[in-house]
Amino acid sequence: MSAVFGYLRVSGTDQVLDLQRDALAAAGCTRVWEEVASGAKKDRPELLDLLGHLRAGDTLVVWRLDRLGRSLSHLIETVEGLQARGVAFKSLTETIDTSSPGGMLIFQIFGALAQFERALIQERTVAGLAAARARGRIGGQPKAIDAAKARHIRQMIEAGAPKTEIAAVLGIGRATLYRHLSSQASDAM
């Protein structure tokens, strides 16, 4: 026996769920899971509970696509997971229904666009890193201890200053100082 379940979400407690509630009731949802959580959050317990209740033949309905997914890629991953389990997906605002061939086509187009976007981002990142390397810049966090600080550390160690004091004077963490001293000791060997 198939069921129509709804999921609605708002980002803050000051937002009202009534518009989504009414739309999901009109769509025939027999049960609705409600969540107050940022769309960017990975931990959404109500959504996880809903996904656990869905069975083959059921339909998951949302008011709008952005209520379900954190990003386009997350949305596509979620809907593909539903399809693999035999669960249909409907978005009321965008009129997408994966139980129909037309709705499935639209969703597949979204998936292709997301994959294209990921490839473009990766391509731009690689090109940007290559351009930076050509200009002599390398990525990563700048070194906490430059040559001047290294000399200062050596002088303070030779003067017998405590390591805690050296770290405080130079504005570096003790762990950073100990790593530096350890690397200097291994370089001396």
Side-chain angles (χ1 to χ4, degrees):
M1 188 157 95
S2 63
V4 179
F5 294 135
Y7 175 74
L8 56 90
R9 179 186 61 77
V10 291
S11 298
T13 54
D14 58 332
Q15 294 176 322
V16 181
L17 297 167
D18 293 341
L19 174 66
Q20 293 181 57
R21 249 187 229 126
D22 294 345
L24 294 177
C29 294
T30 55
R31 183 171 172 197
V32 175
W33 279 256
E34 299 182 2
E35 192 135 54
V36 177
S38 167
K41 283 182 72 174
K42 288 182 179 184
D43 182 34
R44 291 191 272 164
E46 291 299 315
L47 177 59
L48 292 175
D49 185 50
L50 163 61
L51 293 173
H53 279 78
L54 293 168
R55 303 289 175 251
D58 290 348
T59 302
L60 168 58
V61 181
V62 295
W63 175 64
R64 211 168 66 195
L65 286 173
D66 67 348
R67 302 296 87 196
L68 182 63
R70 296 189 314 268
S71 63
L72 182 57
S73 59
H74 176 256
L75 178 67
I76 289 168
E77 178 184 315
T78 303
V79 174
E80 285 176 347
L82 293 173
Q83 283 183 292
R85 295 170 47 198
V87 175
F89 171 73
K90 274 188 183 180
S91 174
L92 302 175
T93 304
E94 293 85 3
T95 60
I96 293 175
D97 182 353
T98 63
S99 67
S100 74
M104 201 55 232
L105 172 65
I106 296 296
F107 203 77
Q108 291 301 325
I109 290 170
F110 281 172
L113 290 172
Q115 187 175 358
F116 178 67
E117 178 187 30
R118 281 191 302 273
L120 284 178
I121 290 169
Q122 183 180 14
E123 192 176 277
R124 283 193 304 266
T125 301
V126 168
L129 290 171
R133 275 192 298 277
R135 289 183 181 84
R137 294 191 342 237
I138 53 173
Q141 189 171 353
K143 298 264 186 214
I145 300 176
D146 58 14
K149 281 186 181 177
R151 281 192 304 276
H152 203 117
I153 290 170
R154 208 172 319 114
Q155 292 168 351
M156 292 178 81
I157 291 283
E158 289 170 2
K163 292 177 179 72
T164 304
E165 181 183 321
I166 295 170
V169 167
L170 295 176
I172 59 174
R174 286 185 321 185
T176 302
L177 175 63
Y178 281 105
R179 272 194 305 274
H180 171 75
L181 293 172
S182 175
S183 72
Q184 294 300 305
S186 64
D187 288 348
M189 292 181 181

XYZ file of all heavy atoms in Angstrom, residues 36-125:
694
model
N 12.670 22.660 11.667
C 13.219 24.020 11.736
C 14.727 23.848 11.781
O 15.294 23.468 12.802
C 12.717 24.781 12.981
C 13.367 26.155 13.056
C 11.206 24.895 12.966
N 15.362 24.063 10.629
C 16.813 23.877 10.520
C 17.305 24.559 9.266
O 16.591 24.635 8.272
C 17.158 22.384 10.463
N 18.516 25.011 9.307
C 19.138 25.603 8.130
C 19.256 24.542 7.050
O 19.543 23.381 7.327
C 20.529 26.133 8.488
O 21.245 26.424 7.319
N 19.054 24.940 5.804
C 19.195 24.012 4.692
C 20.621 23.525 4.530
O 20.866 22.481 3.942
N 21.586 24.287 5.053
C 22.995 23.914 4.922
C 23.398 22.833 5.928
O 24.435 22.205 5.780
C 23.875 25.141 5.109
N 22.574 22.616 6.958
C 22.911 21.628 7.987
C 22.810 20.217 7.434
O 21.863 19.871 6.745
C 21.974 21.759 9.185
C 22.291 22.921 10.086
C 21.362 22.953 11.267
C 21.683 21.841 12.227
N 20.913 21.888 13.449
N 23.802 19.416 7.766
C 23.762 18.015 7.364
C 22.849 17.217 8.281
O 22.211 16.269 7.863
C 25.173 17.414 7.406
C 26.064 17.894 6.317
C 27.417 17.216 6.386
C 28.291 17.708 5.252
N 29.572 17.034 5.212
N 22.812 17.600 9.550
C 22.046 16.868 10.546
C 20.626 17.412 10.599
O 20.376 18.434 11.227
C 22.736 16.993 11.909
C 22.010 16.212 12.977
O 21.451 15.149 12.651
O 21.994 16.661 14.127
N 19.713 16.726 9.926
C 18.301 17.092 9.980
C 17.521 15.841 10.392
O 17.175 15.018 9.544
C 17.843 17.636 8.624
C 18.489 18.982 8.326
C 17.861 19.655 7.148
N 18.532 19.219 5.937
C 18.031 19.383 4.722
N 16.869 19.953 4.544
N 18.692 18.970 3.669
N 17.287 15.697 11.694
C 16.690 14.457 12.209
C 15.317 14.132 11.637
O 14.999 12.966 11.414
C 16.618 14.676 13.719
C 17.048 16.066 13.984
C 17.608 16.641 12.752
N 14.483 15.138 11.403
C 13.144 14.864 10.859
C 13.230 14.290 9.448
O 12.506 13.369 9.093
C 12.281 16.129 10.873
C 11.895 16.589 12.260
C 11.072 15.569 13.023
O 10.125 14.989 12.453
O 11.387 15.335 14.212
N 14.138 14.859 8.637
C 14.318 14.345 7.278
C 14.824 12.902 7.321
O 14.333 12.042 6.584
C 15.284 15.225 6.486
C 15.615 14.741 5.069
C 14.354 14.634 4.221
C 16.625 15.664 4.418
N 15.767 12.635 8.203
C 16.285 11.264 8.320
C 15.184 10.300 8.756
O 15.102 9.172 8.259
C 17.455 11.220 9.298
C 18.725 11.942 8.831
C 19.777 11.945 9.931
C 19.276 11.326 7.565
N 14.340 10.745 9.682
C 13.221 9.908 10.126
C 12.266 9.630 8.967
O 11.840 8.495 8.756
C 12.484 10.581 11.291
C 11.396 9.701 11.867
O 11.685 8.522 12.172
O 10.250 10.174 11.996
N 11.949 10.670 8.209
C 11.062 10.513 7.054
C 11.653 9.522 6.055
O 10.966 8.609 5.580
C 10.834 11.869 6.373
C 10.272 11.842 4.947
C 8.909 11.197 4.894
C 10.225 13.234 4.383
N 12.928 9.694 5.727
C 13.564 8.805 4.755
C 13.517 7.357 5.227
O 13.400 6.435 4.415
C 15.006 9.250 4.490
C 15.152 10.598 3.780
C 16.620 11.014 3.717
C 14.529 10.592 2.405
N 13.578 7.156 6.531
C 13.474 5.807 7.088
C 12.083 5.210 6.963
O 11.930 3.990 6.952
N 11.049 6.049 6.867
C 9.674 5.568 6.749
C 9.260 5.256 5.315
O 8.269 4.560 5.096
C 8.691 6.603 7.329
C 8.569 6.541 8.811
N 9.509 7.082 9.654
C 7.617 5.989 9.602
C 9.141 6.873 10.906
N 7.996 6.209 10.898
N 9.959 5.789 4.347
C 9.567 5.617 2.945
C 9.807 4.188 2.462
O 10.844 3.594 2.736
C 10.346 6.600 2.056
C 10.011 8.071 2.256
C 11.028 8.954 1.547
C 8.601 8.366 1.753
N 8.837 3.662 1.730
C 8.915 2.319 1.153
C 8.659 2.405 -0.348
O 8.110 3.394 -0.842
C 7.867 1.389 1.792
C 7.966 1.273 3.295
C 9.206 0.472 3.712
N 9.353 0.467 5.153
C 10.297 1.120 5.822
N 11.184 1.841 5.195
N 10.379 1.063 7.124
N 8.999 1.349 -1.075
C 8.761 1.306 -2.514
C 7.283 1.579 -2.792
O 6.401 1.046 -2.112
C 9.161 -0.051 -3.078
N 7.027 2.447 -3.768
C 5.661 2.824 -4.120
C 5.194 4.111 -3.453
O 4.217 4.713 -3.878
N 5.881 4.539 -2.389
C 5.524 5.782 -1.705
C 5.967 6.991 -2.532
O 6.770 6.872 -3.464
C 6.194 5.865 -0.332
C 5.614 4.883 0.677
O 4.557 4.306 0.394
O 6.246 4.694 1.737
N 5.448 8.162 -2.161
C 5.826 9.413 -2.799
C 6.210 10.414 -1.722
O 5.503 10.559 -0.725
C 4.662 9.991 -3.635
O 4.278 9.030 -4.620
C 5.058 11.285 -4.324
N 7.334 11.087 -1.929
C 7.782 12.163 -1.044
C 7.462 13.476 -1.737
O 7.853 13.703 -2.879
C 9.285 12.063 -0.777
C 9.942 13.267 -0.098
C 9.300 13.564 1.248
C 11.432 13.036 0.064
N 6.744 14.367 -1.032
C 6.335 15.654 -1.594
C 6.958 16.784 -0.776
O 6.931 16.747 0.455
C 4.791 15.797 -1.583
C 4.360 17.124 -2.194
C 4.132 14.635 -2.300
N 7.513 17.767 -1.489
C 8.013 18.981 -0.858
C 7.368 20.173 -1.548
O 6.933 20.090 -2.697
C 9.559 19.108 -0.922
C 10.218 18.010 -0.116
C 10.059 19.125 -2.341
N 7.301 21.287 -0.839
C 6.714 22.495 -1.406
C 7.617 23.067 -2.488
O 7.172 23.486 -3.539
C 6.458 23.512 -0.294
C 5.974 24.828 -0.758
C 4.791 25.085 -1.405
C 6.637 26.078 -0.636
N 4.688 26.423 -1.677
C 5.814 27.062 -1.214
C 7.843 26.469 -0.076
C 6.171 28.403 -1.253
C 8.184 27.803 -0.106
C 7.350 28.748 -0.702
N 8.945 23.081 -2.215
C 9.917 23.611 -3.168
C 11.206 22.806 -3.047
O 11.525 22.300 -1.973
C 10.178 25.088 -2.843
C 10.511 25.928 -4.041
C 10.484 27.386 -3.740
N 11.558 27.720 -2.802
C 11.619 28.859 -2.142
N 10.668 29.765 -2.281
N 12.610 29.097 -1.328
N 11.961 22.695 -4.128
C 13.184 21.889 -4.147
C 14.162 22.242 -3.035
O 14.764 21.359 -2.427
C 13.900 22.039 -5.498
C 13.271 21.324 -6.687
C 13.991 21.700 -7.970
C 13.280 19.826 -6.483
N 14.327 23.537 -2.759
C 15.324 23.939 -1.761
C 14.949 23.529 -0.340
O 15.762 23.626 0.572
C 15.612 25.433 -1.833
C 14.428 26.286 -1.421
O 13.310 25.766 -1.286
O 14.626 27.504 -1.253
N 13.736 23.056 -0.123
C 13.344 22.572 1.199
C 13.999 21.231 1.498
O 14.203 20.873 2.647
C 11.819 22.404 1.311
C 11.004 23.658 1.055
C 11.242 24.755 2.055
N 12.363 25.606 1.677
C 13.000 26.448 2.482
N 12.651 26.551 3.731
N 13.998 27.180 2.071
N 14.341 20.463 0.461
C 14.885 19.119 0.657
C 16.409 19.092 0.626
O 17.034 18.509 1.506
C 14.345 18.173 -0.426
C 14.794 16.720 -0.329
C 14.295 16.083 0.957
C 14.286 15.940 -1.527
N 17.029 19.715 -0.368
C 18.466 19.573 -0.559
C 19.266 20.760 -0.082
O 18.824 21.900 -0.163
N 20.495 20.494 0.403
C 21.420 21.553 0.817
C 22.017 22.245 -0.394
O 22.397 23.396 -0.350
C 22.561 20.964 1.652
C 22.118 20.350 2.940
C 23.299 19.990 3.826
N 24.373 19.297 3.149
C 24.486 17.980 3.063
N 23.568 17.212 3.585
N 25.514 17.434 2.464
N 22.163 21.501 -1.474
C 22.737 22.016 -2.707
C 22.136 21.192 -3.836
O 21.461 20.178 -3.589
C 24.257 21.859 -2.699
O 24.592 20.485 -2.639
N 22.391 21.597 -5.056
C 21.856 20.850 -6.187
C 22.401 19.427 -6.184
O 21.648 18.470 -6.384
C 22.181 21.554 -7.506
C 21.630 20.897 -8.767
C 20.122 20.743 -8.690
C 22.016 21.702 -9.994
N 23.692 19.280 -5.919
C 24.265 17.931 -5.916
C 23.673 17.083 -4.790
O 23.399 15.896 -4.984
C 25.789 17.986 -5.825
O 26.188 18.657 -4.664
N 23.442 17.687 -3.612
C 22.831 16.942 -2.503
C 21.399 16.558 -2.851
O 20.951 15.439 -2.565
C 22.862 17.763 -1.212
C 22.167 17.093 -0.069
N 20.923 17.473 0.365
C 22.536 16.046 0.703
C 20.555 16.686 1.361
N 21.518 15.820 1.589
N 20.666 17.463 -3.474
C 19.289 17.196 -3.879
C 19.241 16.028 -4.863
O 18.433 15.108 -4.711
C 18.676 18.452 -4.501
C 17.256 18.317 -5.016
C 16.288 18.084 -3.871
C 16.870 19.560 -5.788
N 20.121 16.068 -5.848
C 20.138 15.001 -6.855
C 20.503 13.671 -6.212
O 19.869 12.644 -6.477
C 21.108 15.369 -7.992
C 20.491 16.505 -8.805
C 21.420 14.172 -8.877
C 21.418 17.175 -9.759
N 21.476 13.692 -5.329
C 21.874 12.465 -4.629
C 20.701 11.906 -3.821
O 20.449 10.694 -3.836
C 23.045 12.794 -3.704
C 23.552 11.646 -2.870
C 24.642 12.104 -1.907
O 25.541 12.858 -2.332
O 24.571 11.719 -0.726
N 19.971 12.781 -3.145
C 18.832 12.337 -2.334
C 17.736 11.734 -3.210
O 17.219 10.651 -2.918
C 18.263 13.521 -1.517
O 19.303 14.061 -0.706
C 17.112 13.075 -0.636
N 17.399 12.423 -4.297
C 16.327 11.925 -5.168
C 16.746 10.642 -5.878
O 15.931 9.724 -6.039
C 15.877 13.015 -6.166
C 14.881 12.460 -7.161
C 15.254 14.185 -5.407
N 18.001 10.534 -6.278
C 18.464 9.292 -6.898
C 18.389 8.142 -5.899
O 18.057 7.017 -6.265
C 19.880 9.453 -7.449
C 19.905 10.258 -8.737
C 21.312 10.529 -9.254
O 22.299 10.313 -8.502
O 21.412 10.975 -10.404
N 18.671 8.428 -4.620
C 18.535 7.418 -3.581
C 17.082 6.976 -3.422
O 16.802 5.793 -3.227
N 16.155 7.935 -3.535
C 14.731 7.602 -3.460
C 14.338 6.710 -4.640
O 13.639 5.704 -4.468
C 13.880 8.880 -3.476
C 14.003 9.796 -2.261
C 13.242 11.091 -2.492
C 13.512 9.096 -1.005
N 14.792 7.092 -5.831
C 14.456 6.314 -7.031
C 14.960 4.888 -6.912
O 14.264 3.947 -7.304
C 15.084 6.951 -8.271
C 14.348 8.169 -8.746
C 15.001 8.679 -10.007
O 16.127 9.151 -9.965
N 14.306 8.554 -11.098
N 16.179 4.724 -6.407
C 16.755 3.387 -6.264
C 15.902 2.526 -5.336
O 15.872 1.303 -5.480
C 18.184 3.484 -5.733
N 15.197 3.158 -4.418
C 14.328 2.437 -3.480
C 12.895 2.328 -3.993
O 12.029 1.805 -3.302
C 14.325 3.159 -2.131
C 15.681 3.139 -1.456
C 15.753 4.038 -0.250
N 14.635 3.899 0.662
C 14.302 4.796 1.586
N 15.035 5.884 1.730
N 13.271 4.600 2.375
N 12.625 2.871 -5.193
C 11.280 2.801 -5.760
C 10.335 3.847 -5.212
O 9.115 3.689 -5.252
N 10.891 4.960 -4.680
C 10.083 6.035 -4.107
C 10.042 7.201 -5.094
O 11.082 7.618 -5.609
C 10.684 6.509 -2.755
C 9.920 7.708 -2.207
C 10.695 5.364 -1.752
N 8.853 7.718 -5.363
C 8.695 8.862 -6.263
C 8.922 10.156 -5.482
O 8.789 10.189 -4.261
C 7.309 8.866 -6.887
N 9.244 11.221 -6.211
C 9.503 12.518 -5.601
C 8.716 13.582 -6.349
O 8.683 13.594 -7.576
C 11.000 12.837 -5.663
C 11.334 14.246 -5.254
C 11.270 14.636 -3.928
C 11.684 15.190 -6.209
C 11.565 15.942 -3.558
C 11.985 16.494 -5.846
C 11.922 16.869 -4.525
N 8.081 14.487 -5.577
C 7.335 15.599 -6.171
C 7.741 16.905 -5.513
O 7.830 16.984 -4.294
C 5.825 15.443 -5.931
C 5.087 14.620 -6.909
C 3.595 14.733 -6.626
C 2.804 13.857 -7.556
N 1.372 13.962 -7.294
N 7.961 17.917 -6.350
C 8.162 19.268 -5.861
C 7.022 20.100 -6.424
O 6.881 20.217 -7.645
C 9.511 19.823 -6.319
O 9.606 21.176 -5.930
N 6.203 20.659 -5.547
C 4.989 21.341 -5.975
C 5.260 22.639 -6.731
O 4.645 22.896 -7.763
C 4.088 21.610 -4.764
C 3.676 20.354 -3.983
C 2.896 20.737 -2.728
C 2.872 19.412 -4.865
N 6.165 23.467 -6.240
C 6.418 24.766 -6.860
C 7.012 24.619 -8.247
O 6.615 25.317 -9.179
C 7.352 25.615 -5.966
O 6.757 25.724 -4.672
C 7.561 27.000 -6.543
N 7.973 23.701 -8.412
C 8.622 23.513 -9.707
C 7.880 22.512 -10.591
O 8.316 22.242 -11.704
C 10.070 23.037 -9.522
C 10.999 24.051 -8.904
C 10.960 24.060 -7.382
O 10.248 23.232 -6.784
O 11.634 24.911 -6.780
N 6.784 21.960 -10.083
C 5.981 20.943 -10.781
C 6.855 19.823 -11.352
O 6.776 19.485 -12.527
C 5.077 21.543 -11.880
O 5.882 22.209 -12.845
C 4.051 22.493 -11.298
N 7.694 19.271 -10.488
C 8.507 18.120 -10.870
C 7.909 16.895 -10.197
O 7.608 16.898 -9.009
C 9.976 18.309 -10.421
C 10.612 19.442 -11.210
C 10.767 17.018 -10.576
C 12.019 19.790 -10.771
N 7.728 15.858 -10.975
C 7.179 14.605 -10.476
C 7.963 13.467 -11.127
O 7.785 13.181 -12.305
C 5.697 14.501 -10.824
C 5.039 13.240 -10.288
O 5.760 12.372 -9.753
O 3.816 13.121 -10.415
N 8.843 12.834 -10.346
C 9.693 11.794 -10.927
C 8.944 10.509 -11.245
O 9.530 9.599 -11.829
C 10.888 11.459 -10.005
O 10.401 10.928 -8.777
C 11.759 12.676 -9.765
N 7.658 10.439 -10.919
C 6.881 9.252 -11.290
C 6.416 9.349 -12.738
O 5.938 8.371 -13.295
C 5.681 9.073 -10.353
O 4.752 10.128 -10.536
N 6.592 10.527 -13.364
C 6.231 10.682 -14.775
C 7.493 10.794 -15.627
O 8.521 11.279 -15.146
C 5.376 11.937 -14.972
O 6.182 13.097 -14.873
N 7.452 10.375 -16.876
C 8.638 10.476 -17.735
C 9.124 11.921 -17.904
O 10.326 12.181 -17.895
C 8.160 9.906 -19.073
C 7.005 9.035 -18.728
C 6.358 9.666 -17.535
N 8.206 12.883 -18.032
C 8.586 14.288 -18.190
C 9.279 14.821 -16.953
O 10.282 15.539 -17.040
N 8.780 14.480 -15.775
C 9.391 14.913 -14.532
C 10.765 14.301 -14.345
O 11.700 14.955 -13.878
N 10.891 13.040 -14.752
C 12.182 12.375 -14.664
C 13.186 13.029 -15.610
O 14.356 13.209 -15.251
C 11.993 10.896 -15.015
C 13.064 9.992 -14.508
S 13.270 10.171 -12.732
C 14.995 10.456 -12.715
N 12.739 13.422 -16.799
C 13.621 14.093 -17.759
C 14.136 15.408 -17.184
O 15.337 15.684 -17.229
C 12.885 14.362 -19.072
C 13.641 15.229 -20.079
C 14.889 14.515 -20.567
C 12.737 15.599 -21.242
N 13.248 16.203 -16.613
C 13.650 17.487 -16.024
C 14.671 17.247 -14.921
O 15.683 17.934 -14.832
C 12.427 18.251 -15.461
C 11.470 18.625 -16.581
C 12.852 19.470 -14.668
C 12.044 19.592 -17.584
N 14.416 16.248 -14.101
C 15.344 15.982 -13.003
C 16.701 15.519 -13.527
O 17.735 15.906 -12.995
C 14.749 14.961 -12.032
C 15.377 15.091 -10.696
C 14.999 16.119 -9.853
C 16.377 14.237 -10.294
C 15.610 16.282 -8.624
C 16.991 14.386 -9.074
C 16.608 15.419 -8.234
N 16.712 14.710 -14.577
C 17.977 14.267 -15.170
C 18.743 15.446 -15.763
O 19.973 15.491 -15.696
C 17.726 13.199 -16.240
C 17.227 11.887 -15.684
C 18.186 11.270 -14.693
O 19.397 11.375 -14.825
N 17.644 10.614 -13.675
N 18.029 16.417 -16.312
C 18.676 17.624 -16.840
C 19.341 18.381 -15.690
O 20.474 18.848 -15.814
C 17.675 18.506 -17.613
C 17.290 17.814 -18.921
C 18.248 19.889 -17.881
C 16.138 18.450 -19.663
N 18.655 18.499 -14.552
C 19.262 19.129 -13.374
C 20.551 18.408 -12.994
O 21.554 19.023 -12.671
C 18.307 19.094 -12.174
C 17.240 20.142 -12.194
C 16.232 20.110 -11.251
C 17.220 21.150 -13.130
C 15.235 21.068 -11.234
C 16.229 22.112 -13.130
C 15.239 22.073 -12.180
N 20.516 17.081 -13.012
C 21.689 16.288 -12.671
C 22.845 16.545 -13.622
O 23.996 16.682 -13.202
N 22.548 16.624 -14.902
C 23.595 16.899 -15.893
C 24.184 18.284 -15.676
O 25.400 18.479 -15.783
C 23.024 16.766 -17.299
N 23.332 19.260 -15.356
C 23.831 20.616 -15.097
C 24.719 20.653 -13.855
O 25.747 21.329 -13.839
C 22.659 21.591 -14.947
C 21.886 21.895 -16.229
C 20.647 22.719 -15.916
C 22.775 22.612 -17.236
N 24.347 19.910 -12.826
C 25.157 19.868 -11.609
C 26.512 19.236 -11.884
O 27.550 19.716 -11.413
C 24.428 19.088 -10.512
N 26.531 18.177 -12.672
C 27.787 17.522 -13.019
C 28.658 18.465 -13.844
O 29.859 18.563 -13.625
C 27.497 16.242 -13.795
C 28.719 15.408 -14.065
C 28.354 14.093 -14.739
O 27.190 13.783 -14.973
N 29.367 13.300 -15.042
N 28.060 19.183 -14.770
C 28.775 20.160 -15.594
C 29.369 21.260 -14.717
O 30.528 21.649 -14.875
C 27.823 20.750 -16.636
C 28.438 21.798 -17.511
C 29.440 21.480 -18.413
C 28.004 23.106 -17.445
C 30.006 22.446 -19.230
C 28.560 24.086 -18.249
C 29.568 23.751 -19.151
N 28.581 21.745 -13.752
C 29.045 22.791 -12.844
C 30.244 22.308 -12.024
O 31.231 23.019 -11.868
C 27.910 23.209 -11.912
C 28.312 24.253 -10.901
C 27.224 24.522 -9.878
O 26.439 23.607 -9.574
O 27.184 25.651 -9.375
N 30.190 21.072 -11.509
C 31.310 20.521 -10.740
C 32.571 20.435 -11.596
O 33.663 20.759 -11.146
C 30.952 19.140 -10.193
C 30.075 19.169 -8.967
C 29.967 17.806 -8.305
N 29.446 16.764 -9.172
C 28.160 16.499 -9.341
N 27.257 17.185 -8.679
N 27.776 15.534 -10.136
N 32.422 20.014 -12.865
C 33.578 19.905 -13.757
C 34.178 21.283 -14.038
O 35.402 21.442 -14.076
C 33.172 19.221 -15.060
N 33.327 22.296 -14.230
C 33.826 23.648 -14.472
C 34.573 24.190 -13.261
O 35.635 24.805 -13.394
C 32.675 24.598 -14.820
C 32.084 24.492 -16.220
C 30.930 25.469 -16.368
C 33.142 24.741 -17.278
N 34.045 23.967 -12.075
C 34.693 24.427 -10.845
C 36.058 23.759 -10.698
O 37.060 24.415 -10.396
C 33.802 24.160 -9.616
C 32.584 25.082 -9.647
C 34.585 24.324 -8.317
C 31.514 24.721 -8.629
N 36.114 22.461 -10.955
C 37.378 21.740 -10.845
C 38.382 22.266 -11.870
O 39.551 22.489 -11.552
C 37.148 20.247 -11.056
C 38.408 19.424 -10.888
C 38.145 17.947 -11.105
O 37.107 17.548 -11.617
N 39.095 17.121 -10.717
N 37.928 22.507 -13.085
C 38.797 23.026 -14.140
C 39.347 24.411 -13.774
O 40.534 24.689 -13.945
C 37.994 23.102 -15.442
C 38.790 23.346 -16.683
C 37.889 23.290 -17.899
O 37.624 22.176 -18.384
O 37.440 24.365 -18.356
N 38.477 25.282 -13.259
C 38.919 26.625 -12.856
C 39.908 26.564 -11.698
O 40.865 27.323 -11.642
C 37.718 27.492 -12.482
C 36.945 28.013 -13.671
C 35.981 29.110 -13.267
N 35.049 28.730 -12.225
C 33.829 28.264 -12.426
N 33.363 28.125 -13.641
N 33.056 27.962 -11.415
N 39.680 25.657 -10.768
C 40.579 25.522 -9.625
C 41.967 25.090 -10.077
O 42.974 25.664 -9.657
C 40.013 24.502 -8.616
O 38.727 24.951 -8.189
C 40.918 24.343 -7.415
